[in-house]
Amino acid sequence: IQAFRAIIDGLDAGAEGVEDTGRMRNLAWLSLARVYYTAANRTDPETGERAIDGRLLGNAVEAWNRVDQGSEYWLEALFEESWAFFLADEYARALGNIHTLFSPYFDDAYYPEALVLKAVVFFSACQIDNARAMVSLFHERYDPVAAELNSTLDQFEDNQQFFDFLQR
C-alpha cells in the first residue's frame, strides 16, 4: 500500500522522467485497489470462516473510482469493483457496473466473467431462474470460444511449436 501511495504521490508532485504519468497513475490506483480488495478478504486460519473487512473493501472501491474514466483500465476497474460490491451485499451496484460493461458503447469489451458474477448475484438474491439464464447465456456465448481455443491448442505437440505460432 505504501509503495503504490508513494507512486501516486510522486506522480502528483510532478515526477520527472516518467513518460505517461496518466497511465502510470491509473495503474497505481488499479494496483492499490487490488491490494485493498485482497486484504479485505480474510479467512480465519482455525475455523476456515471467511470475513470481509468493510473498511478495506471501501478503500478498494475508492481506489477503483480513482481510475480515470477515459483510461484503458477503466472497464477493468469497473468490473473488479463489481466483485467488491457483491461482497458488500450491494447487488444493485454490482449489477449496474455489469450492465455498463455490456452496453453497446463498449461493444469491443470482453468480460465473460461478468456473466458469472451476474449469475452469482442472482443466485445470492434467490433469483434462481435468472441465475440459470445467465449460466446458459455464458455457455451459449463462450463454449464455442473455448472449443476453438482448444482446437487451436491441440495443433501443437510441444511448447516450442506453440511459441513459434505465437510469434507468427
Side-chain angles (χ1 to χ4, degrees):
I1 290 171
Q2 291 174 343
F4 290 121
R5 287 277 180 197
I7 291 169
I8 293 165
D9 292 343
L11 292 169
D12 288 346
E16 293 184 30
V18 178
E19 288 185 20
D20 192 347
T21 57
R23 184 169 187 258
M24 292 301 114
R25 184 178 291 105
N26 286 320
L27 283 169
W29 281 118
L30 189 62
S31 298
L32 187 59
R34 291 170 176 169
V35 170
Y36 277 128
Y37 179 83
T38 301
N41 289 281
R42 300 172 186 243
T43 303
D44 186 303
E46 292 178 18
T47 65
E49 289 190 32
R50 208 182 82 202
I52 304 298
D53 183 321
R55 183 183 56 82
L56 293 174
L57 197 62
N59 289 345
V61 168
E62 180 182 325
W64 278 309
N65 283 323
R66 298 295 300 265
V67 174
D68 291 333
Q69 193 169 359
S71 163
E72 64 191 287
Y73 304 107
W74 184 69
L75 288 178
E76 188 71 26
L78 197 68
F79 172 67
E80 292 176 12
E81 181 184 53
S82 301
W83 279 104
F85 287 145
F86 168 72
L87 289 179
D89 295 331
E90 301 247 359
Y91 298 156
R93 293 178 79 182
L95 291 174
N97 281 9
I98 292 169
H99 183 73
T100 300
L101 291 173
F102 288 120
S103 83
Y105 188 76
F106 301 116
D107 208 22
D108 293 339
Y110 187 71
Y111 290 94
E113 301 91 349
L115 288 175
V116 173
L117 176 55
K118 201 170 181 181
V120 171
V121 168
F122 285 141
F123 181 80
S124 296
C126 297
Q127 295 182 16
I128 305 305
D129 290 340
N130 287 338
R132 283 189 183 124
M134 290 304 105
V135 171
S136 293
L137 183 58
F138 176 87
H139 285 294
E140 178 184 312
R141 285 187 184 175
Y142 301 112
D143 284 357
V145 174
E148 189 174 335
L149 283 172
N150 287 329
S151 173
T152 300
L153 291 173
D154 288 343
Q155 297 175 34
F156 305 102
E157 294 179 20
D158 61 34
N159 290 339
Q160 186 61 47
Q161 283 182 331
F162 184 63
F163 179 75
D164 293 339
F165 166 76
L166 289 176
Q167 280 190 312
R168 283 192 309 277

